[in-house]
Amino acid sequence: NKTYHLYYTTTVNQQEIKKTELVGLKKDWQVSENRLPKFSKDGNALFLGLAPKLAEKDTTLIAEDHAKVDVWSYKDDFIQPQQLKNADREKKRTYLSVIDLSNPTKITQLADFDVNQVEMINEGNSPFALGTSDNAYRVSAQWDATRRRDYYIINTKTGQRENLVSGLVGKVEISPNGKFAVYYNGETALWSSYNLTTKETKVLNKKVKVKFYDEENDSPTVAQEYGIAYFTDNDNTVLIKDRYDIWEFDLAGDRKPENMTNGFGRKHKITFDINQLNEDVKTVNRDQPIFLGAFNNENKQSGVFQTIISKSKNPEEITMSDTWGAQNMKKALNADEYIYTKESFQNSPDVYVTSNFKEEKKVSAINHQQKDYSWGKGELVNWKTYSGKDATGVVYKPENFDPTKKYPVIVYFYEKLSDNLNRYQAPAPTPSRINHTYFVSNDYIVFTPDISYTIGYPGKSAEDYINSGVEALKKNTWINGDKIAIQGQSWGGYQVAHLITVTNMYAAAWTGAPVVNMTSAYGGIRWGTGMSRQFQYEQTQSRIGKTLWEAPELYIENSPLFKMPNVQTPVVIMHNDEDGAVPWYQGIEMFMALRRLQKPVWMLNYNGDDHNLLKRANKNDIQQRQQQFFDHYLKDKPAPKWMTEGVPATMKGIDWGFDLDESKDK
């Protein structure tokens, strides 16, 4: 253990404050090296970290004489894998404390084991701090994805704590000047403000009928709030977002709420947010023009509007276009000059400047070589699902698209992707999924359908949206309906595995890191974090909504492994032995089932790599194999030898099997 001392001086002569002289320092605690001391902005206080002395390891013991064992206990706050994953961080954990520099020998500890997370307010100028504790909810976090917390207002002079709210499913934000705490309760869908001085709590949106949480939430968990956009000057009001518009709430609760965008967003399906033009400016003026970032949810255009908060009138459109990024702009500190990036599927992000938004100047050209290559274009498409729901997706076509030709199709999906219509995608190796630009430029159609889910039936939901979208796409004369493949990674990989058990409409499939057996995966570990996987199936992405013992039939119904005999589609599985999110035994279970059934299946295990590939060489490798696989099944090109002959272990590192096997027919 190292011993650290704190020095403080108001002159050129240093005055050492030894740890034994710090009045209020707990026994066996000391100043920590793992948090830099920081003065409050007004210079009246010094914040630093304290920590208990670490237990010392007896280095005289002979390691071979003692077992190396992890002891799992049902009484532990965190399971052993999570403890081991976070052990180094916990050893370096510090507990925020403060010294009032008018009495520099006295230290007040603000954080401890009971409330181990404490934040300064208003850069330390406030007489209060915000404390957070998850102690009471650590065990339930194994299955409860809501991540409950207790919040405290802490007096920085005395260390005294006042409970603000307990078991909150949401979060607390402190206003920039430190006058109010504002928090959202996901279970009641209510926003509240708390006056740190008067200790009064006001509910802000009780009489407002609009929803301030995700209106399209399709998971069996509490919907996320849209969040705070900004605070106004002097902590007078807070600006809170609904799905489209921004509302102004008086923090003291004296004035009724006002829709500062006047309902224009909801009327025109435009989502507004407030541009943070300068990171040092924490509040906005109610009576001065401000810029709003805007995104049109129907045509996916984005741009900038302008409004004055106090007027509550329709925002004025400044610019909207089929580009992405203009809303993320910054302003020069002392001039009316603005800088931002713009991009589209055809154009890589470049930097623009303007003073009036009527004329703009492009000041970068980071991808001039693109003119030498064939590219593509994305188009929004809409259809009705089998169950009659409205559905949206994007069809990406080659730059030299010819409507008289028949194109092969690769369908890629992951939750909802249509908002990315105008996002640029460089033709670089990706961690695991297909690269849209690369395949489109090589005469493929790429289709990305959005998916919404019915709780308890993620597999059937995928069928409803993906298969119906493909059927609608096949009605176009330029689609080769016999040459359509699907590809997905992680959650998308699960859906690939499911779809090929219920339909033979696809000529080929590629699945990355799929869960195929929810009954075995349910009790597994996310090794990247050490967390239990139970919460994921009960409340988040897998969307089952119940425990394994409450609804075993749903876990089996949504597990592709139990329907592997139905598979007729050739499939490649990528699952790596260091996958930190999905246990790689899931990929093995799928491979072993299909292998025994003598179905055409291949599996790639990139040794030592993660859920999504991290190593550049592996990314290059998988891109080449994806191209060869899809070219073979969708364009009738010869298969590579890794598909026809495999790569024996004795040839590992010598031959990668990329050579095409001209002797083999399909």
Side-chain angles (χ1 to χ4, degrees):
N1 276 317
K2 301 174 184 178
T3 301
Y4 288 85
H5 300 278
L6 186 68
Y7 294 82
Y8 166 67
T9 180
T10 55
T11 66
V12 294
N13 299 316
Q14 287 187 329
Q15 173 188 354
E16 181 183 351
I17 305 176
K18 297 181 180 178
K19 65 182 179 63
T20 54
E21 296 174 351
L22 288 176
V23 178
L25 185 66
K26 294 180 180 180
K27 183 181 178 181
D28 294 328
W29 284 61
Q30 61 184 12
V31 174
S32 173
E33 64 177 304
N34 295 309
R35 182 193 288 263
L36 289 175
K38 184 176 182 179
F39 288 100
S40 60
K41 192 171 185 179
D42 60 17
N44 293 327
L46 178 67
F47 291 85
L48 67 155
L50 299 180
K53 295 179 181 178
L54 294 174
E56 295 184 359
K57 187 175 182 179
D58 187 347
T59 58
T60 66
L61 297 176
I62 300 174
E64 289 74 12
D65 290 346
H66 299 273
K68 292 183 179 179
V69 57
D70 302 327
V71 180
W72 298 44
S73 170
Y74 73 99
K75 293 185 177 181
D76 288 344
D77 283 352
F78 300 109
I79 58 177
Q80 277 288 314
Q82 195 170 356
Q83 291 185 48
L84 293 169
K85 197 72 180 179
N86 298 326
D88 287 342
R89 186 185 69 186
E90 288 302 314
K91 289 177 182 178
K92 295 178 180 178
R93 181 182 289 277
T94 64
Y95 298 83
L96 187 67
S97 305
V98 62
I99 295 174
D100 183 342
L101 295 180
S102 64
N103 182 14
T105 62
K106 183 179 184 300
I107 190 164
T108 301
Q109 188 167 332
L110 305 178
D112 56 21
F113 297 141
D114 294 328
V115 181
N116 59 25
Q117 299 178 54
V118 177
E119 302 172 17
M120 295 183 295
I121 295 176
N122 193 19
E123 299 183 82
N125 287 355
S126 173
F128 303 104
L130 177 66
T132 310
S133 175
D134 65 350
N135 288 12
Y137 316 103
R138 289 176 176 175
V139 174
S140 62
Q142 176 175 322
W143 58 85
D144 186 358
T146 54
R147 302 292 189 266
R148 298 175 187 275
R149 299 287 188 274
D150 296 336
Y151 290 88
Y152 299 86
I153 302 299
I154 303 173
N155 188 306
T156 59
K157 298 289 186 183
T158 65
Q160 184 177 356
R161 295 168 182 162
E162 177 188 354
N163 179 241
L164 173 64
V165 59
S166 295
L168 182 69
V169 179
K171 60 182 179 180
V172 176
E173 290 192 40
I174 304 297
S175 58
N177 293 321
K179 297 179 181 179
F180 293 90
V182 179
Y183 59 92
Y184 176 77
N185 187 324
E187 293 178 304
T188 63
L190 294 176
W191 283 94
S192 298
S193 71
Y194 174 83
N195 189 312
L196 271 64
T197 302
T198 66
K199 301 182 180 181
E200 289 183 287
T201 299
K202 300 282 187 179
V203 177
L204 301 178
N205 65 316
K206 191 172 184 178
K207 296 182 180 180
V208 180
K209 294 182 179 180
V210 70
K211 296 177 181 177
F212 288 90
Y213 55 85
D214 183 2
E215 294 181 5
E216 295 187 324
N217 178 49
D218 56 6
S219 296
T221 188
V222 175
Q224 290 290 309
E225 72 277 12
Y226 290 108
I228 292 174
Y230 244 101
F231 289 87
T232 60
D233 291 349
N234 302 314
D235 289 359
N236 288 327
T237 62
V238 62
L239 307 175
I240 299 177
K241 297 178 287 186
D242 69 21
R243 183 180 181 183
Y244 300 106
D245 293 296
I246 303 174
W247 292 73
E248 183 182 28
F249 294 94
D250 178 24
L251 286 168
D254 296 330
R255 293 191 295 110
K256 69 176 184 178
E258 295 284 349
N259 188 326
M260 61 160 277
T261 47
N262 202 34
F264 185 89
R266 187 167 293 274
K267 181 178 179 180
H268 297 278
K269 300 296 186 290
I270 294 175
T271 296
F272 289 117
D273 203 349
I274 296 179
N275 280 328
Q276 187 177 12
L277 299 181
N278 189 315
E279 294 180 358
D280 294 328
V281 178
K282 306 299 183 183
T283 60
V284 292
N285 191 307
R286 299 184 67 253
D287 301 313
Q288 297 295 321
I290 62 170
F291 290 106
L292 304 176
F295 179 78
N296 188 309
N297 291 269
E298 292 192 327
N299 61 21
K300 313 303 178 183
Q301 288 188 337
S302 61
V304 178
F305 280 64
Q306 191 174 56
T307 193
I308 296 175
I309 298 171
S310 60
K311 301 296 184 182
S312 297
K313 293 183 178 180
N314 289 347
E316 175 189 354
E317 180 180 326
I318 304 299
T319 178
M320 288 290 282
S321 65
D322 292 324
T323 59
W324 181 275
Q327 71 273 39
N328 299 318
M329 63 183 181
K330 300 296 179 185
K331 180 182 179 297
L333 187 61
N334 298 312
D336 289 330
E337 293 285 340
Y338 303 90
I339 189 168
Y340 47 87
T341 62
K342 291 169 62 176
E343 66 180 273
S344 67
F345 184 74
Q346 295 97 332
N347 300 300
S348 58
D350 272 307
V351 181
Y352 294 77
V353 294
T354 188
S355 57
N356 56 18
F357 292 98
K358 296 178 181 178
E359 299 175 350
E360 63 182 10
K361 181 180 179 181
K362 183 180 177 183
V363 296
S364 73
I366 68 169
N367 200 12
H368 56 85
Q369 67 270 22
Q370 183 179 315
K371 68 181 185 302
D372 300 323
Y373 294 87
S374 173
W375 219 252
K377 182 179 181 180
E379 299 175 2
L380 279 178
V381 293
N382 299 284
W383 69 95
K384 288 283 188 181
T385 70
Y386 299 139
S387 62
K389 300 183 180 74
D390 292 326
T392 301
V394 179
V395 171
Y396 297 92
K397 298 178 180 178
E399 182 177 286
N400 55 353
F401 175 74
D402 181 353
T404 65
K405 290 177 59 176
K406 292 277 190 180
Y407 289 89
V409 180
I410 300 176
V411 187
Y412 173 77
F413 34 80
Y414 191 95
E415 301 276 357
K416 292 180 172 65
L417 297 172
S418 64
D419 285 356
N420 295 328
L421 171 67
N422 294 314
R423 293 287 187 97
Y424 183 79
Q425 186 177 130
T430 66
S432 53
R433 61 178 177 80
I434 64 165
N435 183 280
H436 299 19
T437 307
Y438 177 79
F439 280 98
V440 168
S441 69
N442 281 275
D443 266 358
Y444 283 92
I445 298 289
V446 173
F447 175 44
T448 60
D450 287 352
I451 309 166
S452 295
Y453 294 90
T454 300
I455 294 170
Y457 301 94
K460 287 182 178 178
S461 299
E463 296 172 44
D464 193 30
Y465 282 84
I466 298 169
N467 291 353
S468 67
V470 171
E471 293 285 8
L473 189 65
K474 286 166 64 175
K475 294 178 181 178
N476 293 288
T477 57
W478 36 268
I479 294 294
N480 187 339
D482 296 326
K483 299 294 184 181
I484 300 177
I486 50 176
Q487 196 270 328
Q489 165 69 15
S490 190
W491 181 236
Y494 156 72
Q495 288 158 112
V496 169
H498 173 83
L499 290 176
I500 61 176
T501 67
V502 296
T503 181
N504 297 325
M505 66 190 295
Y506 300 111
W510 186 292
T511 176
V515 166
V516 295
N517 184 355
M518 290 193 179
T519 66
S520 60
Y522 175 80
I525 302 294
R526 293 181 66 92
W527 293 108
T529 59
M531 296 174 61
S532 164
R533 295 178 56 80
Q534 292 178 354
F535 75 91
Q536 182 171 334
Y537 295 92
E538 295 179 32
Q539 292 190 344
T540 61
Q541 196 169 53
S542 297
R543 297 174 168 89
I544 300 299
K546 297 177 184 290
T547 67
L548 177 60
W549 41 92
E550 287 174 330
E553 70 284 354
L554 289 180
Y555 282 81
I556 293 173
E557 176 183 334
N558 288 285
S559 294
L561 183 68
F562 297 100
K563 298 186 286 289
M564 285 294 147
N566 299 341
V567 174
Q568 301 297 324
T569 308
V571 59
V572 174
I573 306 161
M574 185 211 77
H575 216 149
N576 306 319
D577 50 21
E578 290 296 327
D579 191 320
V582 177
W584 84 299
Y585 277 92
Q586 290 291 308
I588 294 173
E589 288 188 47
M590 182 176 181
F591 176 82
M592 295 305 295
L594 291 174
R595 181 178 187 272
R596 177 167 181 172
L597 293 164
Q598 286 298 289
K599 309 289 186 177
V601 59
W602 298 263
M603 179 169 166
L604 304 174
N605 167 26
Y606 290 96
N607 302 164
D609 218 329
D610 207 338
H611 183 65
N612 292 298
L613 295 174
L614 300 175
K615 300 175 183 177
R616 178 80 179 189
N618 294 341
K619 295 178 183 180
N620 289 334
D621 185 277
I622 199 171
Q623 293 289 110
Q624 187 168 349
R625 295 187 197 278
Q626 283 182 345
Q627 179 197 359
Q628 291 182 329
F629 177 73
F630 289 126
D631 278 356
H632 175 62
Y633 283 109
L634 302 186
K635 291 187 174 182
D636 295 324
K637 292 187 177 182
K641 290 186 177 181
W642 67 267
M643 290 175 60
T644 60
E645 299 178 3
V647 179
T650 54
M651 296 298 292
K652 183 178 178 179
I654 301 172
D655 184 357
W656 281 262
F658 289 131
D659 291 341
L660 299 182
D661 192 343
E662 304 286 353
S663 66
K664 307 280 185 177
D665 58 25
K666 185 180 176 184

